[in-house]
Amino acid sequence: MSLLKEPDFGTPAKEGAATISLEVDGLPVSVPEGTSVMRAAALAGVDIPKLCATDRLDAFGSCRLCLVEIDGRRGTPASCTTPAADGMVVRTQTPKVAKLRENVMELYISDHPLDCLTCGANGDCELQDMAGAVGLRQVRYGYEGENHFDAIKDQSNPYFDFDPSKCIVCSRCVRACDEIQGTFALTIEGRGFASKVSPGAGESFMDSECVSCGACVQACPTATLQERSVIELGMPSRSVITTCAYCGVGCSFKAELRGDELVRMVPHKDGGANEGHSCVKGRFAFGYATHPDRVLRPMVREKITDPWREVEWEEAIGTVARRMLEIRRLHGAGAIGAITSSRCTNEEVYVVQKMVRAAFGSNNVDTCARVCHSPTGYGLKQTFGESAGTQDFRSVAQADVIMVIGANPTDGHPVFASRMKQRIRQGARLIVIDPRRIDLVRSPHITADHHLQLNPGTNVAVVNAIAHVVVTEGLVDESFIAARCEGFDEWAEFISREENSPEAVQQLTGVPAAEVRAAARLYAQASNGAIYYGLGVTEHSQGSTMVMGMANLAMACGNIGRDGVGVNPLRGQNNVQGSCDMGSFPHELSGYRHVSDDAVRQVFENLWGTTLLPEPGLRIPNMFDAALEGTFRGLFVHGEDIAQSDPNVGHVTAALSAMELVVVQDLFINETAKFAHVFLPGASFLEKDGTFTNAERRINRVRAVMKPKSGRHEWDIVCQVATAMGYPMHYDHPRQIMDEIATVTPTFAGVSFERLEQAGSIQWPCDADAPDGTPIMHVESFTRGKGRFVPTPFVPTEERSTRRFPLILTTGRILSQYNVGAQTRRTANIAWHQEDLLEIHPHDAEDRGITDGDEVTLASRVGQTKLRAKISDRMPTGVVYTTFHYPVTGANVVTTENSDWATNCPEYKVTAVQVALARPAVRDRTAHAQDGVLAVELVD
Ligand code: SF4
Ligand code: SF4
Ligand code: SF4
Ligand code: FES
């Protein structure tokens, strides 16, 4: 449980400056220089009335409620905008300021509807509180004068209402949108009495630039901007701190409840990753957890063509165990395995991989990181020695040059994007490397210094060209390299070759050499240069090479081991870092230790009382191939929709159809469940206890706000399957699982639920050397000792545009939807995105006679699908883009089986395609199994 109302100190904290001492109402207080009188008073325990001030926003000084008297100074300054000074004596409760405040409140209240008792904000309204705080007893001006009582409500947003009749024009919403979110969607229109808050140019919220992050709603001191759920359900009465289950930013929230009903999610001010901010998904899109589509009873069926039969848990668990054992008896342990979920908790993932290794008797366990960030794990391990990003998110506030490669943070990692944009508005320079003109390239008050709009598939050539400039122009950090790295000479010889120069590759990459040179100089000469990257780096045939290329570049410029620098993957799913950490890969036990290491295996064998195989098991694509060959027959899929998310869906569904037993544990009947023989209902994040690990290696607590709707915990179901297979697994609580993880995983040695309760969150490694965790990695030396330069020759992908398939398709996601859409499609977020669209450059569209909104076919050498076109000059010519949030689109029907050479991560970002206006002949849809996935047919 946590406080419903967190303390608000009125103005932001100041850090690092000298300390000054003053006296407020006779109480002594010492604060950092630059602190406001209001904050100093709050720290001394004195609350000064305020309306326009809040500690999330810079002081504004408009409401005049916070007036104080200061000895030796004339007048009554506003305490929020007045800096505290050494020796200052402040009086906050004199008759003079009391009278002034009462007058101010009188004016506000005379133009405010007096419906407090029926207002949705009753009990959580700062105007109401302040009226009490200033002792308002009468409104001498009456209520009859000119007022705003009839102002029209804007209810266009599905999650919050805007009722201007209650607005006090404090501007907190406008400033929240500007300063915190960085969208600049709101303005104050008009002057004096006529001034009012306006989204865009007098538009509704839905028609404006608003991205529905909710920062303005949270900042509003009245009921003007208010969550619809609060209006409908009433004010919450208690809260539980937990972690968002969408993306890898890992925002902390206070889940606020009324009784047992979740009313709203409020971003937690003390959340290490988000510090009180959120995006539309985390704050508002939680309704899927109680959606009627949830499957709450276990189900089994003999064949996938049979109807499902609801059964008791014991029968479902017994069926899984019996059929897995039967396959193992007939075909060996190599014929069974599991896929862990990057959406589930560390504790759940750990027990699934333990079940596979100890109860199934194979190493056939893999995770969806295979299809996203496995090259990150490989590339950073090879170069730095640790399979994780180097920084915490806060670090970006110290960056002078930010390089964003193959990532679209404003859509994919919005809360981190807001932090990044804050830093850029303060003056940090920006380099974007992406085929698309993503929002960051040009958005309010932000313009990228360089946008290297490369051809898809040429990342490595571009990063090599940047490094070539750094080395050949003498921009390397020689002392860093000499002290901290190895392999530089060999790498420098390679990278200096003419074939890697910007001029040599510009034809291939499409990026003018002069732009590459300028970007390289900017990054290399920055005091602090930071690289942030996403799936546009990893999901390529050279994904691992590119990760190593970026690591080489960062080391060459000495940009590792302190605030403001580093190489940072922006992780996709909420717990993809954690699922990798927990030993989900077929070749690695927890903490990224190879299964062939006898000493490591011994640790697990001793604790688990069993023998483990020293050879790696099957990766996901190998499982599919083996299934089609008949050697892999039983698969346990934990919270993952591989039939929608994995490439070449036709191949995946053929493999699933070939298996004797597919077990799906999930919230909904997803595409994969259509091929399942046993369905085990899962629990939503609101029903779970455990931990998620975000992209900063931050281990955050997930706390249950309600009981599992299916009646069972996922970790317990997995333990029961293992036990029924003859390998007893039992825990009373997830904290015991974490204790076991800490016992066998050196980087988690100091982690426990108790430590997390005290610290709030911890960034691994957390051990005896770093008992409080490690925000910044590789500070004194790299995890592997010396950072290793690895030559990264560019090898073009085999996927090429041809006359038949002349365009390149690249895929991604958008802000309001998440991954395969199973959650967000079951929320009001569909208001923003009802279907996947194909973005295409106007010239490519015109060549094909396509206009905006036309239905088009999208065909590759492996399949075809149909969707609507969106003409967009964000795209370069020759490249088209779509999302994969809707099963009916089946974007992955067309993506190929090409993959990263080191990790098999699919090459989602490069598929040669043709786009044409949909013709009747290709409009037929043949549904697989039940509905949703399109038939896979080659088109001529
Ligand atoms: S909408 Fe709320 S935050 Fe914005 S100006 Fe009005 S009262 Fe202030
Ligand atoms: S919801 Fe967010 S983006 Fe929209 S107006 Fe409010 S602060 Fe701005
Ligand atoms: S940024 Fe990611 S973690 Fe944060 S609220 Fe949005 S979806 Fe959730
Ligand atoms: S709180 Fe200081 S002027 Fe409004």
Side-chain angles (χ1 to χ4, degrees), residues 350-369:
Y350 179 84
V351 293
V352 172
Q353 63 87 35
K354 179 175 176 179
M355 171 182 75
V356 173
R357 299 186 203 276
F360 288 15
S362 78
N363 280 324
N364 293 337
V365 60
D366 207 354
T367 176
C368 74

Side-chain angles (χ1 to χ4, degrees), residues 611-632:
T611 310
L612 300 179
L613 296 177
E615 300 87 23
L618 297 173
R619 297 171 172 182
I620 292 172
N622 306 134
M623 292 181 193
F624 297 150
D625 292 344
L628 290 168
E629 287 160 9
T631 54
F632 187 79

